[in-house]
Structure formats: structure tokens, C-alpha cells
């Protein structure tokens, strides 16, 4: 059984994953109307789907452990970006914020000796290591490219190979 504090922290994480999904969905929609970046667009759509899976995985866990997962209200995400580079900078910033909130949940689980939640959250801890590393690599590449249009063309080709989160969270 989850404590009230643990349940609240997990529900806050549900909100953050849902908000992340919205943030990347907004990036996807914005990218979709920019010319010539179809693969970047589908990367954002995939990322948004992935975050929704992270949210669902948490909802199921909370309810299975005798708690109640609250479906939260969400904020309007940033709808447009000055450039692709800006969008990816925001993505990295957002992932760093998600990692911090995951650490908070893990801290509470440890303090409460809730090892089931602690164990469950390890999946998120490793997922965040991957996602942050990926976001950093992309930012580095975009930095190198600068304003070079052919570089952006190659970046868009490259991103096709990128797997966000390595598959569906439901399978893990
Ligand atoms: Fe990328 O955030 Fe979920 O965990």
C-alpha cells in the first residue's frame, strides 16, 4: 500500500509526464509546419508518445498498489520556437527538470523504505540517463551546424535512426 506522501509524489510525476507529452506534441506541431524537417517532426511526435507511455506506466503502478492515480489538468505548452535549435534547447532543459522530479520521487521512496516504488522508479532513472544524453548529443550537433542549411538537412536525415526510449514503456 502506498503512503499518502508517496502517492502524492507519484501523482505529481504523472502530471509531469503528461505535461512532457504536451510539450513535445507542441514542438511536433510547430515542426510540422516548418519546411523540410519531416524526420525532426516525427521525432517530436514519437517523443510525445513515449512520454504518454511513461505517464500510463505510473498510473497503472499507483492503482495496482492500492492508490488512486489522479488525471491532472495540464498547462498550455510553448506553441512556437524561434528556431529548431531553440526547440532542442528547450527539450534538454525539460528533460533535466524531469530527471530532478524523478530523483525527488526516488528520495521519498527511500526515506519511506518503500522498496517496491524505489525498484519501480529505477526504470525511470535509467530512461532519463538515456534521454538526457540523447538531448545533449542533439544540442551539440545543432551547435556545430550553426546556420548551415545543408547541415540541418543531414541532421534531419540522421534523426531517423534515433529511437526515443528504445521502445514502448508498456513492454518494459
Ligand atoms: Fe523524458 O521524461 Fe518521461 O520519464
Amino acid at each position: 500500500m502506498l503512503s499518502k506522501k508517496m502517492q502524492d509524489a507519484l501523482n505529481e510525476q504523472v502530471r509531469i509526464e503528461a505535461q512532457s507529452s504536451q510539450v513535445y506534441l507542441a514542438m511536433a506541431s510547430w515542426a510540422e509546419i516548418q519546411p523540410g524537417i519531416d524526420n525532426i517532426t516525427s521525432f517530436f511526435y514519437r517523443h510525445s508518445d513515449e512520454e504518454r507511455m511513461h505517464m500510463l506506466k505510473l498510473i497503472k503502478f499507483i492503482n495496482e498498489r492500492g492508490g488512486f492515480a489522479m488525471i491532472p489538468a495540464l498547462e498550455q505548452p510553448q506553441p512556437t520556437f524561434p528556431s529548431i535549435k531553440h526547440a532542442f534547447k528547450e527539450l534538454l532543459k525539460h528533460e533535466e527538470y524531469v530527471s530532478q522530479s524523478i530523483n525527488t520521487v526516488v528520495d521519498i521512496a527511500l526515506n519511506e523504505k518503500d522498496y517496491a516504488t524505489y525498484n519501480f522508479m529505477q526504470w525511470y532513472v535509467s530512461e532519463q540517463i538515456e534521454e538526457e544524453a540523447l538531448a545533449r548529443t542533439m544540442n551539440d550537433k545543432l551547435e556545430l551546424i550553426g546556420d548551415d542549411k545543408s547541415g540541418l538537412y543531414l541532421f534531419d536525415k540522421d534523426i531517423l535512426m534515433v529511437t526515443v526510449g528504445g521502445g514502448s514503456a508498456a513492454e518494459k
Side-chain angles (χ1 to χ4, degrees), residues 43-82:
F43 167 82
F44 286 135
Y45 275 122
R46 288 202 309 276
H47 212 336
S48 172
D49 284 349
E50 190 67 26
E51 298 303 348
R52 182 178 152 77
M53 293 308 295
H54 297 175
M55 173 197 69
L56 286 174
K57 196 174 160 89
L58 277 158
I59 291 173
K60 297 213 153 106
F61 177 76
I62 297 167
N63 289 338
E64 268 166 17
R65 298 265 333 271
F68 175 52
M70 276 295 268
I71 307 306
L74 301 175
E75 288 160 31
Q76 165 74 59
Q78 183 175 340
T80 59
F81 301 86

Side-chain angles (χ1 to χ4, degrees), residues 30-160:
W30 169 77
E32 196 156 42
I33 60 161
Q34 313 306 311
I37 52 164
D38 294 358
N39 298 326
I40 293 175
T41 299
S42 55
F43 167 82
F44 286 135
Y45 275 122
R46 288 202 309 276
H47 212 336
S48 172
D49 284 349
E50 190 67 26
E51 298 303 348
R52 182 178 152 77
M53 293 308 295
H54 297 175
M55 173 197 69
L56 286 174
K57 196 174 160 89
L58 277 158
I59 291 173
K60 297 213 153 106
F61 177 76
I62 297 167
N63 289 338
E64 268 166 17
R65 298 265 333 271
F68 175 52
M70 276 295 268
I71 307 306
L74 301 175
E75 288 160 31
Q76 165 74 59
Q78 183 175 340
T80 59
F81 301 86
S83 67
I84 309 288
K85 206 163 132 179
H86 282 84
F88 276 94
K89 271 207 172 117
E90 280 307 312
L91 183 137
L92 174 60
K93 247 180 36 200
H94 192 81
E95 287 303 331
E96 286 169 346
Y97 157 72
V98 172
S99 298
Q100 270 178 15
S101 74
I102 285 170
N103 286 343
T104 305
V105 180
V106 172
D107 270 356
I108 296 172
L110 259 188
N111 284 336
E112 298 212 340
K113 298 193 169 41
D114 180 345
Y115 298 116
T117 302
Y118 177 81
N119 201 30
F120 169 77
M121 289 305 295
Q122 294 314 301
W123 182 85
Y124 288 84
V125 172
S126 23
E127 184 75 6
Q128 279 315 112
I129 295 172
E130 269 181 43
E131 288 194 4
E132 271 193 43
L134 179 66
R136 271 196 200 98
T137 307
M138 285 174 169
N139 274 279
D140 289 349
K141 284 187 183 175
L142 285 167
E143 207 55 60
L144 274 177
I145 290 168
D147 292 327
D148 175 16
K149 288 226 161 55
S150 52
L152 188 61
Y153 172 78
L154 289 176
F155 181 86
D156 186 69
K157 271 188 122 176
D158 251 33
I159 209 168
L160 246 189

